[in-house]
Amino acid sequence: MILSKKTTYIPDNGNLKIPSRKDFHRRFSGIIYLSDYDYPTSLTSMAGRIASNLRFDESCKQNSEFMQNNTPNIAE
């Protein structure tokens, strides 16, 4: 008897959206340092950097929306 093994689990709730290449290029993915490759990095510090990058990305998005909504209409 052969059992199939699932290697990944994706919930089938209809909300799965795979980002396009354009979506990936609109996000800040962080800065890659040389020490990322040379030294072992703990998961805690890596998670902190990821969270920091997400906060920075969200603040940039909010600033961009604010600037677009608050541009003065100068008519000559």
Side-chain angles (χ1 to χ4, degrees), residues 2-75:
I2 299 174
L3 298 174
S4 65
K5 295 182 181 180
K6 277 190 170 182
T7 57
T8 60
Y9 172 75
I10 299 175
D12 189 19
N13 56 8
N15 294 333
L16 179 64
K17 179 186 179 293
I18 299 172
S20 67
R21 179 182 290 258
K22 192 173 186 180
D23 292 336
F24 278 122
H25 286 282
R26 289 183 179 174
R27 307 289 298 203
F28 175 70
S29 59
I31 299 171
I32 299 173
Y33 297 100
L34 185 60
S35 62
D36 293 341
Y37 297 101
D38 291 340
Y39 303 106
T41 306
S42 70
L43 292 178
T44 305
S45 65
M46 190 60 67
R49 284 178 49 189
I50 292 170
S52 174
N53 293 339
L54 289 174
R55 284 192 301 269
F56 177 74
D57 191 47
E58 285 300 316
S59 68
C60 288
K61 181 179 176 183
Q62 289 175 354
N63 289 341
S64 174
E65 290 173 356
F66 178 77
M67 294 299 285
Q68 287 177 356
N69 293 335
N70 292 323
T71 54
N73 293 331
I74 299 173

